Amino acid sequence: MTISRTKFPRTDYLAWRTMPTRWSDNDVYGHVNNVVYYEWFDTAVNSLLVDAGVLDLAQSQAIGLVVETGCAYFASVAYPETVEAGIRVSRLGNSSVRYEVGIFKPGESYAAAAGHFVHVYVDRDSRRPVPLSAPLRALLEPLVVPPTTSEPGVTLEQDRAVVDRIMVGRRSVRAFLPKAVSQATVHEILGAASRAPSGVNTQPWQVRVLAGEPLQKFCDRLCDVVDDPEQSAQHQYEYAYYPHEWASPYLDRRRQIGWALYGLLGIQRGDQERMHAQNRRNFRFFDAPVGLIFTIDRVLQQGSWLDYGMFLQNAMLAARARGLDTCPQAAFAQFHRVITEALDIPERQMLVCGMALGYADPAAIENSLQTPREAVDQFAFFQGF
């Protein structure tokens, strides 16, 4: 695929470093070898960080590791020319940064080469992801640019196809494989999700992430209550998720999906034992390797719950983009008292919902469930077109 260098104008870059070429940079063909460009990317970004005092190569406890890189070449550069490296940031996450670097000849309007690399910031000793420091974030925020179609090798049509496929492919999965999901992956998902809009940037989301033994203990404690009819009856939702009185078409849709799921599982009407067993699987996150519990500050109002919904959707789409599946679960909200005690959640925080996260079990019959959607013309009303 041919990429035009006009997609990478000098005006799109916000910070600059000047670097000389070296005699040894030239290859047998008389121009700078491709691999040297990657050295320039590293040098440009790290010199920016060092000069700003946010990176000490020998002492900084948080260090950036490159996990992805790429470059597109448009025009040759040769010794003894000087190059100018333009820097911008296309994604600033919780623990990761995507830097984009354009290599320019002095005075030229378009890049001779354009590339990117992704830094994941980790603890120097443990190599586990850590949040970006406040000084680093303050340095990089002015360099953030909106996503563009200038990603090397990617067209707008391809971007659209990917986004649509992820949205259409998202579904609620109710059986997961016992395959671990790394903390770094969950970190990335939540970092991407945090770009959800929120009124005056309130960012109302708080998340508890459970895996391994803490997840098992949490589920055991919750199921002890769920399995005891007397205890279970003492727990009520703090907010009304569903209407107190159901009406058509909502009641029809509820019944349709409920009996479709039970039909796949072979659960007959009136089989209370199997219905309870299936409902109980909610409280084990359907055996997912990661369980998330979401809370919101009680001082926040209805608008923040709208923001929260966009954050949850972002998390589900970010998971899907990484080959993972999810199931958002309102059922946890009924047992908020048990959950807040088990996870030491402050009283000022209100439980919103839970979410299962992991790899879908393709052999599980319940995962073949496809929920229908109304046609656009049934819910959208157009004027003036």
Coordinates of all heavy atoms in Angstrom, one line a residue, residues 242-326:
Y242 N -34.0 -2.0 36.8 CA -35.1 -2.3 36.0 C -36.3 -1.6 36.4 O -36.4 -1.1 37.6 CB -35.3 -3.8 36.0 CG -34.2 -4.6 35.4 CD1 -33.4 -5.4 36.2 CD2 -33.9 -4.6 34.1 CE1 -32.3 -6.1 35.7 CE2 -32.8 -5.3 33.5 CZ -32.0 -6.1 34.4 OH -31.0 -6.8 33.9
P243 N -37.3 -1.4 35.5 CA -38.6 -0.8 35.9 C -39.4 -1.6 37.0 O -39.3 -2.8 37.0 CB -39.4 -0.7 34.6 CG -38.8 -1.8 33.8 CD -37.4 -1.9 34.1
H244 N -40.1 -0.9 37.8 CA -40.9 -1.6 38.8 C -42.1 -2.3 38.2 O -42.6 -3.3 38.6 CB -41.4 -0.6 39.9 CG -40.3 0.0 40.7 ND1 -39.5 -0.7 41.5 CD2 -39.9 1.3 40.8 CE1 -38.6 0.1 42.1 NE2 -38.8 1.3 41.7
E245 N -42.6 -1.7 37.1 CA -43.7 -2.3 36.3 C -43.2 -2.4 34.9 O -43.0 -1.4 34.2 CB -44.9 -1.4 36.4 CG -45.5 -1.4 37.8 CD -46.9 -0.6 37.8 OE1 -47.4 -0.4 36.7 OE2 -47.3 -0.3 38.9
W246 N -43.1 -3.6 34.4 CA -42.7 -3.9 33.0 C -43.8 -3.6 32.0 O -45.0 -3.9 32.3 CB -42.2 -5.3 32.8 CG -40.9 -5.5 33.5 CD1 -40.6 -5.9 34.8 CD2 -39.6 -5.4 32.9 NE1 -39.3 -6.0 35.0 CE2 -38.6 -5.7 33.9 CE3 -39.2 -5.0 31.6 CZ2 -37.3 -5.7 33.6 CZ3 -37.8 -5.0 31.3 CH2 -36.9 -5.3 32.3
A247 N -43.5 -3.1 30.9 CA -44.5 -2.8 29.8 C -43.8 -3.2 28.5 O -42.6 -3.3 28.3 CB -44.9 -1.4 29.8
S248 N -44.7 -3.4 27.5 CA -44.2 -3.7 26.1 C -43.6 -2.4 25.5 O -44.1 -1.3 25.8 CB -45.4 -4.2 25.3 OG -45.0 -4.6 24.0
P249 N -42.5 -2.5 24.7 CA -41.9 -3.8 24.2 C -40.8 -4.3 25.1 O -40.2 -5.3 24.8 CB -41.3 -3.3 22.9 CG -40.9 -1.9 23.2 CD -41.9 -1.3 24.1
Y250 N -40.5 -3.7 26.2 CA -39.4 -4.0 27.1 C -39.6 -5.4 27.7 O -38.7 -6.2 27.8 CB -39.1 -3.0 28.1 CG -39.2 -1.6 27.5 CD1 -40.2 -0.7 27.8 CD2 -38.2 -1.2 26.6 CE1 -40.3 0.5 27.2 CE2 -38.3 0.1 25.9 CZ -39.4 0.9 26.3 OH -39.4 2.1 25.6
L251 N -40.8 -5.7 28.2 CA -41.1 -7.0 28.7 C -41.0 -8.1 27.7 O -40.5 -9.1 28.0 CB -42.6 -7.0 29.3 CG -43.1 -8.3 29.9 CD1 -42.2 -8.7 31.1 CD2 -44.5 -8.2 30.4
D252 N -41.4 -7.8 26.5 CA -41.3 -8.8 25.4 C -39.8 -9.2 25.1 O -39.5 -10.3 25.0 CB -41.9 -8.3 24.1 CG -43.4 -7.9 24.3 OD1 -44.1 -8.5 25.2 OD2 -43.8 -6.9 23.7
R253 N -39.0 -8.1 25.1 CA -37.6 -8.3 24.8 C -36.9 -9.1 26.0 O -36.1 -10.0 25.8 CB -36.9 -7.0 24.6 CG -37.3 -6.3 23.3 CD -36.8 -4.9 23.3 NE -37.3 -4.1 22.2 CZ -37.2 -2.8 22.0 NH1 -36.7 -2.1 23.0 NH2 -37.7 -2.2 20.9
R254 N -37.3 -8.7 27.2 CA -36.8 -9.4 28.4 C -37.1 -10.9 28.3 O -36.2 -11.8 28.5 CB -37.3 -8.8 29.7 CG -36.8 -9.5 30.9 CD -37.7 -9.1 32.1 NE -37.2 -9.6 33.4 CZ -37.9 -9.6 34.5 NH1 -39.1 -9.1 34.5 NH2 -37.4 -10.2 35.6
R255 N -38.3 -11.2 28.1 CA -38.7 -12.6 28.0 C -38.0 -13.4 26.9 O -37.6 -14.5 27.0 CB -40.3 -12.7 27.8 CG -41.0 -12.4 29.1 CD -42.5 -12.3 28.8 NE -43.3 -12.1 30.0 CZ -44.6 -11.8 30.1 NH1 -45.3 -11.5 28.9 NH2 -45.2 -11.7 31.2
Q256 N -37.9 -12.7 25.8 CA -37.3 -13.3 24.6 C -35.9 -13.8 24.9 O -35.5 -14.9 24.6 CB -37.3 -12.4 23.4 CG -36.7 -13.0 22.1 CD -36.6 -11.9 21.0 OE1 -36.2 -10.8 21.3 NE2 -36.9 -12.3 19.8
I257 N -35.1 -12.9 25.5 CA -33.7 -13.2 25.7 C -33.6 -14.2 26.9 O -32.7 -15.1 26.9 CB -32.9 -11.9 26.0 CG1 -31.4 -12.2 26.1 CG2 -33.3 -11.2 27.3 CD1 -30.8 -12.7 24.8
G258 N -34.4 -14.1 27.9 CA -34.3 -15.0 29.0 C -34.6 -16.4 28.6 O -33.9 -17.4 28.9
W259 N -35.7 -16.6 27.8 CA -36.0 -18.0 27.4 C -35.1 -18.5 26.3 O -34.9 -19.7 26.2 CB -37.5 -18.1 27.0 CG -38.4 -17.9 28.2 CD1 -39.3 -17.0 28.5 CD2 -38.4 -18.8 29.4 NE1 -39.9 -17.1 29.7 CE2 -39.4 -18.2 30.3 CE3 -37.7 -19.9 29.8 CZ2 -39.7 -18.8 31.5 CZ3 -38.0 -20.5 31.0 CH2 -39.0 -20.0 31.9
A260 N -34.5 -17.6 25.6 CA -33.6 -18.1 24.6 C -32.3 -18.6 25.3 O -31.8 -19.7 24.8 CB -33.2 -16.9 23.7
L261 N -31.9 -18.0 26.3 CA -30.7 -18.5 27.0 C -31.0 -19.8 27.7 O -30.3 -20.8 27.6 CB -30.2 -17.4 28.1 CG -29.1 -17.9 29.0 CD1 -27.9 -18.2 28.2 CD2 -28.8 -16.8 30.1
Y262 N -32.2 -19.8 28.4 CA -32.6 -21.1 29.1 C -32.8 -22.2 28.1 O -32.5 -23.4 28.4 CB -33.8 -20.8 30.0 CG -33.5 -20.1 31.3 CD1 -34.6 -19.7 32.1 CD2 -32.2 -19.7 31.7 CE1 -34.4 -19.0 33.3 CE2 -32.0 -19.1 32.8 CZ -33.1 -18.7 33.7 OH -32.8 -18.1 34.8
G263 N -33.3 -21.9 27.0 CA -33.5 -22.9 26.0 C -32.2 -23.5 25.5 O -32.1 -24.8 25.4
L264 N -31.2 -22.7 25.3 CA -29.9 -23.3 24.9 C -29.3 -24.2 26.0 O -28.7 -25.2 25.7 CB -28.9 -22.1 24.7 CG -29.1 -21.3 23.4 CD1 -28.2 -20.1 23.4 CD2 -28.8 -22.2 22.2
L265 N -29.6 -23.8 27.3 CA -29.1 -24.6 28.4 C -30.0 -25.7 28.8 O -29.6 -26.5 29.7 CB -28.9 -23.6 29.6 CG -27.8 -22.5 29.4 CD1 -27.9 -21.5 30.6 CD2 -26.4 -23.1 29.4
G266 N -31.1 -25.8 28.2 CA -32.0 -26.9 28.5 C -32.7 -26.8 29.8 O -33.1 -27.7 30.5
I267 N -32.9 -25.5 30.3 CA -33.6 -25.2 31.5 C -35.1 -25.0 31.3 O -35.4 -24.1 30.5 CB -33.0 -24.0 32.2 CG1 -31.5 -24.2 32.5 CG2 -33.7 -23.7 33.5 CD1 -30.8 -23.0 33.1
Q268 N -35.9 -25.8 31.9 CA -37.3 -25.7 31.6 C -38.0 -24.8 32.6 O -37.5 -24.4 33.6 CB -38.0 -27.1 31.8 CG -37.4 -28.2 30.9 CD -37.6 -27.9 29.5 OE1 -38.7 -27.5 29.0 NE2 -36.5 -28.2 28.7
R269 N -39.2 -24.2 32.1 CA -39.9 -23.4 33.0 C -40.2 -24.1 34.3 O -40.6 -25.2 34.3 CB -41.3 -23.0 32.3 CG -41.1 -22.1 31.1 CD -42.5 -21.9 30.5 NE -42.4 -21.1 29.2 CZ -42.5 -19.8 29.1 NH1 -42.7 -19.1 30.2 NH2 -42.4 -19.2 28.0
G270 N -40.1 -23.3 35.4 CA -40.3 -23.9 36.7 C -39.2 -24.7 37.3 O -39.3 -25.1 38.5
D271 N -38.1 -24.9 36.6 CA -36.9 -25.6 37.2 C -36.1 -24.6 38.0 O -35.1 -24.1 37.6 CB -36.1 -26.2 36.1 CG -35.0 -27.1 36.5 OD1 -34.7 -27.1 37.8 OD2 -34.5 -27.9 35.7
Q272 N -36.6 -24.4 39.2 CA -36.0 -23.4 40.1 C -34.5 -23.7 40.5 O -33.7 -22.8 40.6 CB -36.8 -23.2 41.4 CG -38.2 -22.7 41.1 CD -38.2 -21.4 40.5 OE1 -37.4 -20.5 40.8 NE2 -39.2 -21.1 39.6
E273 N -34.3 -25.0 40.6 CA -32.9 -25.4 41.0 C -31.9 -25.0 40.0 O -30.8 -24.4 40.3 CB -32.9 -26.9 41.3 CG -31.5 -27.4 41.8 CD -31.5 -28.8 42.1 OE1 -32.6 -29.5 42.2 OE2 -30.4 -29.4 42.3
R274 N -32.2 -25.3 38.7 CA -31.3 -25.0 37.6 C -31.2 -23.5 37.3 O -30.2 -23.0 37.0 CB -31.6 -25.8 36.4 CG -31.4 -27.3 36.5 CD -31.3 -28.0 35.2 NE -30.2 -27.5 34.3 CZ -30.1 -27.7 33.0 NH1 -31.1 -28.4 32.4 NH2 -29.1 -27.3 32.3
M275 N -32.4 -22.8 37.5 CA -32.4 -21.4 37.3 C -31.5 -20.7 38.4 O -30.7 -19.8 38.0 CB -33.8 -20.9 37.5 CG -34.7 -21.2 36.3 SD -36.4 -20.5 36.6 CE -37.2 -21.0 35.1
H276 N -31.5 -21.2 39.6 CA -30.7 -20.7 40.7 C -29.2 -20.9 40.3 O -28.3 -20.1 40.5 CB -31.0 -21.2 42.0 CG -30.0 -20.8 43.1 ND1 -30.0 -19.6 43.7 CD2 -29.0 -21.5 43.7 CE1 -29.1 -19.5 44.6 NE2 -28.4 -20.7 44.6
A277 N -28.9 -22.1 39.9 CA -27.5 -22.5 39.5 C -27.0 -21.6 38.4 O -25.8 -21.2 38.5 CB -27.5 -24.0 39.1
Q278 N -27.8 -21.3 37.4 CA -27.4 -20.4 36.4 C -27.2 -19.0 36.9 O -26.2 -18.3 36.5 CB -28.3 -20.5 35.2 CG -28.0 -19.5 34.0 CD -26.6 -19.9 33.4 OE1 -26.2 -21.0 33.4 NE2 -26.0 -18.8 32.8
N279 N -28.1 -18.5 37.7 CA -28.0 -17.2 38.2 C -26.8 -17.1 39.1 O -26.1 -16.1 39.1 CB -29.3 -16.8 39.0 CG -29.2 -15.4 39.6 OD1 -29.0 -14.5 38.9 ND2 -29.3 -15.3 40.9
R280 N -26.5 -18.2 39.9 CA -25.3 -18.2 40.8 C -24.0 -18.0 40.0 O -23.0 -17.5 40.6 CB -25.3 -19.5 41.5 CG -24.3 -19.7 42.5 CD -24.4 -21.1 43.1 NE -23.6 -21.3 44.3 CZ -22.3 -21.7 44.3 NH1 -21.7 -22.0 43.1 NH2 -21.6 -21.9 45.4
R281 N -24.0 -18.4 38.7 CA -22.7 -18.3 38.0 C -22.4 -16.8 37.8 O -21.2 -16.5 37.5 CB -22.9 -19.0 36.6 CG -22.8 -20.5 36.7 CD -23.0 -21.2 35.4 NE -22.2 -20.7 34.3 CZ -20.9 -20.9 34.2 NH1 -20.2 -21.6 35.2 NH2 -20.2 -20.4 33.2
N282 N -23.4 -15.9 37.8 CA -23.0 -14.5 37.8 C -22.0 -14.2 38.9 O -21.1 -13.4 38.6 CB -24.3 -13.7 38.1 CG -25.1 -13.3 36.9 OD1 -24.7 -12.4 36.1 ND2 -26.2 -13.9 36.7
F283 N -22.2 -14.7 40.1 CA -21.4 -14.3 41.2 C -20.0 -15.1 41.3 O -19.3 -14.9 42.2 CB -22.2 -14.5 42.5 CG -23.5 -13.8 42.4 CD1 -24.7 -14.5 42.2 CD2 -23.6 -12.4 42.5 CE1 -25.9 -13.8 42.1 CE2 -24.8 -11.7 42.4 CZ -25.9 -12.4 42.1
R284 N -19.7 -15.8 40.2 CA -18.4 -16.4 40.0 C -17.9 -15.8 38.7 O -16.9 -16.3 38.1 CB -18.4 -17.9 40.0 CG -18.7 -18.5 41.4 CD -18.1 -19.9 41.5 NE -18.3 -20.4 42.9 CZ -17.5 -20.1 43.9 NH1 -16.4 -19.4 43.6 NH2 -17.7 -20.6 45.1
F285 N -18.5 -14.7 38.2 CA -18.1 -14.0 37.0 C -18.0 -15.0 35.9 O -17.2 -14.9 35.0 CB -16.7 -13.4 37.2 CG -16.7 -12.2 38.2 CD1 -16.3 -12.4 39.5 CD2 -17.1 -10.9 37.8 CE1 -16.3 -11.3 40.4 CE2 -17.1 -9.9 38.7 CZ -16.7 -10.1 40.0
F286 N -18.9 -16.0 35.9 CA -19.0 -17.0 34.8 C -17.6 -17.7 34.6 O -17.3 -18.0 33.5 CB -19.5 -16.4 33.5 CG -20.9 -15.8 33.7 CD1 -21.1 -14.5 33.7 CD2 -22.0 -16.7 33.8 CE1 -22.4 -14.0 33.8 CE2 -23.3 -16.2 33.9 CZ -23.5 -14.8 33.9
D287 N -16.9 -17.8 35.7 CA -15.5 -18.5 35.7 C -14.5 -17.7 34.9 O -13.5 -18.3 34.5 CB -15.6 -19.9 35.2 CG -16.5 -20.8 36.0 OD1 -16.5 -20.7 37.3 OD2 -17.2 -21.7 35.5
A288 N -14.7 -16.4 34.7 CA -13.7 -15.6 34.1 C -12.5 -15.4 35.0 O -12.6 -15.5 36.2 CB -14.3 -14.2 33.7
P289 N -11.3 -15.3 34.4 CA -10.1 -15.1 35.2 C -9.9 -13.8 35.9 O -9.1 -13.6 36.8 CB -9.0 -15.4 34.2 CG -9.5 -14.9 32.9 CD -11.0 -15.3 33.0
V290 N -10.7 -12.8 35.4 CA -10.7 -11.4 36.0 C -12.1 -11.0 36.3 O -13.0 -11.1 35.4 CB -10.0 -10.4 35.0 CG1 -10.0 -9.0 35.6 CG2 -8.6 -10.9 34.7
G291 N -12.3 -10.4 37.4 CA -13.6 -9.8 37.8 C -13.4 -8.4 38.2 O -12.4 -8.0 38.9
L292 N -14.2 -7.5 37.7 CA -14.1 -6.1 38.0 C -15.4 -5.6 38.7 O -16.5 -6.1 38.3 CB -14.0 -5.3 36.7 CG -12.7 -5.6 35.8 CD1 -13.1 -6.5 34.7 CD2 -12.1 -4.4 35.3
I293 N -15.2 -4.8 39.7 CA -16.3 -4.2 40.4 C -16.2 -2.7 40.3 O -15.2 -2.1 40.6 CB -16.3 -4.6 41.9 CG1 -16.5 -6.1 42.1 CG2 -17.3 -3.8 42.7 CD1 -17.9 -6.6 41.7
F294 N -17.3 -2.1 39.9 CA -17.3 -0.7 39.6 C -18.1 0.1 40.6 O -19.2 -0.3 41.0 CB -17.9 -0.4 38.2 CG -17.2 -1.1 37.1 CD1 -17.5 -2.3 36.6 CD2 -16.1 -0.5 36.5 CE1 -16.8 -3.0 35.6 CE2 -15.4 -1.1 35.4 CZ -15.7 -2.3 35.0
T295 N -17.6 1.2 41.1 CA -18.3 2.0 42.1 C -18.2 3.5 41.6 O -17.4 3.9 40.8 CB -17.7 1.9 43.5 OG1 -16.3 2.4 43.4 CG2 -17.7 0.5 43.9
I296 N -19.1 4.3 42.2 CA -19.2 5.7 42.0 C -19.4 6.5 43.3 O -20.1 5.9 44.2 CB -20.4 6.0 41.0 CG1 -20.4 7.4 40.5 CG2 -21.7 5.6 41.6 CD1 -21.4 7.7 39.4
D297 N -18.9 7.7 43.4 CA -19.1 8.5 44.5 C -20.6 8.9 44.7 O -21.2 9.3 43.7 CB -18.2 9.7 44.4 CG -18.0 10.4 45.8 OD1 -19.0 10.8 46.4 OD2 -16.8 10.6 46.2
R298 N -21.1 8.7 45.9 CA -22.5 9.0 46.1 C -22.9 10.5 45.9 O -24.1 10.8 45.7 CB -22.9 8.6 47.6 CG -22.8 7.1 47.8 CD -23.2 6.8 49.3 NE -23.0 5.4 49.5 CZ -23.9 4.4 49.3 NH1 -25.0 4.8 48.7 NH2 -23.6 3.2 49.5
V299 N -21.9 11.3 46.0 CA -22.2 12.8 45.8 C -22.6 13.1 44.3 O -23.2 14.1 44.0 CB -21.0 13.6 46.2 CG1 -19.9 13.6 45.2 CG2 -21.4 15.1 46.4
L300 N -22.2 12.2 43.4 CA -22.4 12.4 42.0 C -23.9 12.1 41.6 O -24.5 11.2 42.2 CB -21.4 11.7 41.1 CG -20.0 12.1 41.4 CD1 -19.0 11.2 40.6 CD2 -19.8 13.5 41.0
Q301 N -24.4 12.7 40.6 CA -25.8 12.6 40.2 C -26.0 11.9 38.9 O -25.0 11.3 38.3 CB -26.4 14.0 40.1 CG -26.4 14.7 41.5 CD -27.2 14.0 42.5 OE1 -28.3 13.6 42.3 NE2 -26.6 13.9 43.7
Q302 N -27.2 11.9 38.4 CA -27.6 11.1 37.2 C -26.7 11.3 36.0 O -26.4 10.3 35.3 CB -29.0 11.4 36.8 CG -29.6 10.4 35.8 CD -31.1 10.7 35.7 OE1 -31.7 11.6 36.2 NE2 -31.8 9.8 34.9
G303 N -26.2 12.5 35.8 CA -25.4 12.7 34.6 C -24.1 11.9 34.7 O -23.6 11.5 33.6
S304 N -23.5 11.8 35.9 CA -22.3 11.0 36.0 C -22.5 9.5 35.7 O -21.6 8.8 35.3 CB -21.7 11.2 37.4 OG -21.2 12.5 37.6
W305 N -23.8 9.0 35.9 CA -24.1 7.6 35.6 C -24.1 7.5 34.1 O -23.7 6.4 33.5 CB -25.4 7.2 36.2 CG -25.3 7.0 37.7 CD1 -25.2 8.0 38.7 CD2 -25.4 5.8 38.4 NE1 -25.1 7.4 39.9 CE2 -25.2 6.0 39.8 CE3 -25.5 4.5 38.0 CZ2 -25.2 5.0 40.7 CZ3 -25.5 3.4 39.0 CH2 -25.4 3.7 40.3
L306 N -24.6 8.5 33.3 CA -24.5 8.5 31.9 C -23.0 8.4 31.4 O -22.7 7.6 30.6 CB -25.1 9.7 31.3 CG -26.6 9.9 31.5 CD1 -27.1 11.3 30.9 CD2 -27.4 8.8 30.9
D307 N -22.2 9.2 32.1 CA -20.7 9.1 31.8 C -20.2 7.7 32.1 O -19.4 7.2 31.3 CB -20.0 10.2 32.6 CG -20.4 11.6 32.4 OD1 -21.0 11.9 31.3 OD2 -20.2 12.4 33.3
Y308 N -20.6 7.2 33.1 CA -20.1 5.8 33.6 C -20.5 4.8 32.5 O -19.7 3.9 32.2 CB -20.7 5.5 34.9 CG -19.8 4.7 35.8 CD1 -19.5 5.2 37.1 CD2 -19.2 3.5 35.4 CE1 -18.6 4.5 37.9 CE2 -18.3 2.8 36.3 CZ -18.1 3.3 37.5 OH -17.2 2.7 38.3
G309 N -21.7 4.9 32.0 CA -22.1 3.9 30.9 C -21.1 4.0 29.7 O -20.8 2.9 29.1
M310 N -20.7 5.2 29.4 CA -19.7 5.3 28.2 C -18.4 4.7 28.6 O -17.7 4.1 27.8 CB -19.6 6.8 27.8 CG -20.9 7.3 27.2 SD -20.8 9.0 26.6 CE -21.2 9.9 28.1
F311 N -18.0 4.9 29.9 CA -16.7 4.2 30.3 C -16.8 2.7 30.3 O -15.9 2.0 29.8 CB -16.4 4.7 31.7 CG -15.3 3.9 32.4 CD1 -14.0 4.2 32.1 CD2 -15.6 3.0 33.4 CE1 -13.0 3.5 32.7 CE2 -14.6 2.3 34.0 CZ -13.2 2.6 33.7
L312 N -17.9 2.2 30.7 CA -18.1 0.7 30.7 C -18.1 0.2 29.2 O -17.5 -0.8 28.9 CB -19.4 0.3 31.3 CG -19.5 0.6 32.9 CD1 -20.9 0.4 33.3 CD2 -18.6 -0.3 33.6
Q313 N -18.8 0.9 28.3 CA -18.7 0.5 26.9 C -17.3 0.6 26.4 O -16.9 -0.3 25.6 CB -19.7 1.4 26.1 CG -19.7 1.1 24.6 CD -20.4 -0.2 24.2 OE1 -20.6 -1.0 25.0 NE2 -20.7 -0.3 22.9
N314 N -16.6 1.6 26.7 CA -15.2 1.7 26.2 C -14.4 0.5 26.7 O -13.6 0.0 26.0 CB -14.6 3.0 26.8 CG -14.8 4.2 25.8 OD1 -15.4 4.1 24.8 ND2 -14.1 5.3 26.1
A315 N -14.6 0.1 28.0 CA -13.8 -1.0 28.5 C -14.1 -2.3 27.8 O -13.2 -3.1 27.4 CB -14.1 -1.2 30.0
M316 N -15.4 -2.5 27.4 CA -15.8 -3.7 26.7 C -15.2 -3.7 25.3 O -14.8 -4.8 24.8 CB -17.3 -3.8 26.7 CG -17.9 -4.1 28.1 SD -19.7 -4.4 28.2 CE -20.3 -2.7 28.2
L317 N -15.2 -2.6 24.7 CA -14.7 -2.5 23.3 C -13.2 -2.6 23.3 O -12.6 -3.3 22.4 CB -15.1 -1.2 22.6 CG -16.6 -1.0 22.4 CD1 -16.9 0.4 21.7 CD2 -17.2 -2.1 21.6
A318 N -12.5 -2.0 24.3 CA -11.1 -2.2 24.4 C -10.7 -3.6 24.6 O -9.7 -4.1 24.1 CB -10.5 -1.3 25.5
A319 N -11.5 -4.3 25.4 CA -11.2 -5.7 25.7 C -11.4 -6.5 24.4 O -10.6 -7.4 24.0 CB -12.2 -6.3 26.8
R320 N -12.5 -6.2 23.7 CA -12.7 -7.0 22.4 C -11.6 -6.7 21.4 O -11.2 -7.6 20.7 CB -14.1 -6.5 21.8 CG -14.6 -7.4 20.7 CD -15.1 -8.7 21.2 NE -15.1 -9.7 20.2 CZ -14.1 -10.6 20.1 NH1 -13.1 -10.6 20.9 NH2 -14.2 -11.5 19.1
A321 N -11.0 -5.5 21.4 CA -9.9 -5.2 20.5 C -8.7 -6.0 20.8 O -7.8 -6.1 19.9 CB -9.6 -3.7 20.5
R322 N -8.6 -6.6 22.0 CA -7.5 -7.4 22.4 C -7.8 -8.9 22.4 O -7.1 -9.7 23.0 CB -7.0 -6.9 23.8 CG -6.3 -5.6 23.7 CD -6.3 -4.9 25.1 NE -5.5 -3.6 25.0 CZ -6.0 -2.5 24.5 NH1 -7.3 -2.4 24.1 NH2 -5.3 -1.4 24.5
G323 N -8.9 -9.3 21.8 CA -9.3 -10.7 21.7 C -10.0 -11.2 22.9 O -10.1 -12.4 23.1
L324 N -10.4 -10.3 23.8 CA -11.0 -10.7 25.1 C -12.5 -10.4 25.0 O -13.0 -9.6 24.1 CB -10.4 -9.9 26.2 CG -9.0 -10.2 26.5 CD1 -8.4 -9.1 27.4 CD2 -8.8 -11.6 27.3
D325 N -13.3 -11.1 25.9 CA -14.7 -10.8 25.9 C -15.1 -10.5 27.3 O -14.3 -10.6 28.3 CB -15.5 -12.1 25.5 CG -15.5 -12.2 24.0 OD1 -16.2 -11.5 23.3 OD2 -14.8 -13.1 23.5
T326 N -16.3 -10.0 27.5 CA -16.8 -9.4 28.7 C -18.3 -9.8 29.0 O -19.0 -10.2 28.0 CB -16.7 -7.9 28.8 OG1 -17.4 -7.4 27.6 CG2 -15.2 -7.4 28.8

